[in-house]
């Protein structure tokens, strides 16, 4: 039962990240446009806010929808790979009698694929567009959006958008490598602390537990 809880915890962390990972390769947003934590006084007055039509035009020239759709195809593989690596490390550090069998690992892989795909679909693209529209309206003026439309419609802006998938393709293996290395270390540290906690909760025979 404890083993199942540990694996479920790792899977749960990956599922929480999956719906939001689609934003990781979207075009960089203007400063102040990505956080709702901005002070109220920084918000754009309603009369100066861009219209939804303006923003739809901006998202079109920025290819936001296409990039989100592309990332939604890539994200499940990324998250699944990361979860599997964590589970593999955790399984290797367990007692021999507690390790997953080959059949159990295969079943776990199928389960991971199933729920990672479900997790990605928890936050549909249309809802993402609606949410980011509200944030852009709060932090950007009509003039800002018009200027951004001009830039992203220009050869330089389109070249930037053309280059982004290639940059992402080269960047993601680096991200996965860094994450795998550091997650392995973190998982080992966590397992060590869990073992120490278990030992402290089960005093050795002959040593009565503290009252």
């Amino acid at each position: 039962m404890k083993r199942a809880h540990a694996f479920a915890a790792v899977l749960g962390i990956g599922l929480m990240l999956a719906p939001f990972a689609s934003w990781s390769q979207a075009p960089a947003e203007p400063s102040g446009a990505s956080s709702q934590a901005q002070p109220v006084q920084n918000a754009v007055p309603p009369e100066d806010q861009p219209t939804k039509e303006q923003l739809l035009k901006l998202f079109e020239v920025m290819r936001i929808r296409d990039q989100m759709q592309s990332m939604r195809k890539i994200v499940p593989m990324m998250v699944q790979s990361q979860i599997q690596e964590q589970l593999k490390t955790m399984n290797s550090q367990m007692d021999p009698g507690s390790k997953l069998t080959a059949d159990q690992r295969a079943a776990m892989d199928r389960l991971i694929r199933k729920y990672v795909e479900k997790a990605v679909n928890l936050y549909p693209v249309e809802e993402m567009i609606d949410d980011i529209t509200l944030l852009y309206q709060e932090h950007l003026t009509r003039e800002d959006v018009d200027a951004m439309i001009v830039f992203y419609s220009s050869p330089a802006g389109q070249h930037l958008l053309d280059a982004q998938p290639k940059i992402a393709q080269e960047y993601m293996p680096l991200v996965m490598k860094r994450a795998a290395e550091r997650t392995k270390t973190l998982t080992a540290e966590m397992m060590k602390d869990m073992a120490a906690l278990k030992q402290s909760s089960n005093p050795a025979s002959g040593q009565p537990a503290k009252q």
Side-chain angles (χ1 to χ4, degrees), residues 82 85 171-186:
Q82 188 62 29
E85 183 63 30
Y171 179 59
M172 290 316 300
L174 178 61
V175 170
M176 298 306 296
K177 179 181 178 181
R178 296 276 192 259
E181 292 171 350
R182 295 170 190 182
T183 299
K184 183 177 180 180
T185 301
L186 185 63

Side-chain angles (χ1 to χ4, degrees), residues 43-165:
V44 175
E47 63 271 17
D48 294 330
Q49 291 180 358
T51 65
K52 290 185 178 181
E53 289 73 22
Q54 276 182 296
L55 291 172
L56 287 176
K57 176 62 177 178
L58 174 62
F59 297 157
E60 179 183 349
V61 297
M62 289 176 70
R63 308 176 195 172
I64 291 288
R65 192 182 303 274
D66 290 343
Q67 293 200 22
M68 286 182 179
Q69 294 287 12
S70 296
M71 285 306 301
R72 286 169 69 84
K73 296 177 182 178
I74 298 173
V75 165
M77 294 184 290
M78 292 169 47
V79 176
Q80 179 182 333
S81 175
Q82 188 62 29
I83 294 175
Q84 288 174 331
E85 183 63 30
Q86 293 180 40
L87 292 177
K88 180 180 178 182
T89 299
M90 185 177 294
N91 193 46
S92 68
Q93 295 175 352
M94 287 184 169
D95 296 333
S98 300
K99 292 183 178 180
L100 294 176
T101 65
D103 288 343
Q104 288 174 325
R105 288 197 301 270
M108 182 67 75
D109 286 343
R110 291 192 295 271
L111 191 66
I112 291 171
R113 286 196 297 271
K114 174 183 176 181
Y115 281 98
V116 167
E117 290 175 2
K118 284 189 174 184
V120 172
N121 291 325
L122 288 176
Y123 194 11
V125 169
E126 291 304 323
E127 191 174 348
M128 289 182 175
I129 294 291
D130 289 341
D131 288 343
I132 199 63
T133 294
L134 295 176
L135 290 175
Y136 271 54
Q137 286 180 315
E138 183 178 353
H139 296 287
L140 298 177
T141 67
R142 295 179 184 181
E143 289 75 14
D144 291 333
V145 173
D146 283 339
M148 293 172 68
I149 291 174
V150 170
F151 170 72
Y152 281 106
S153 299
S154 70
Q158 289 296 299
H159 179 70
L160 172 62
L161 295 173
D162 287 337
Q164 282 183 332

Side-chain angles (χ1 to χ4, degrees), residues 181-201:
E181 292 171 350
R182 295 170 190 182
T183 299
K184 183 177 180 180
T185 301
L186 185 63
T187 301
E189 183 180 346
M190 180 185 71
M191 295 300 292
K192 181 178 179 181
D193 286 344
M194 290 174 65
L197 180 62
K198 181 179 179 181
Q199 185 175 5
S200 67
S201 301

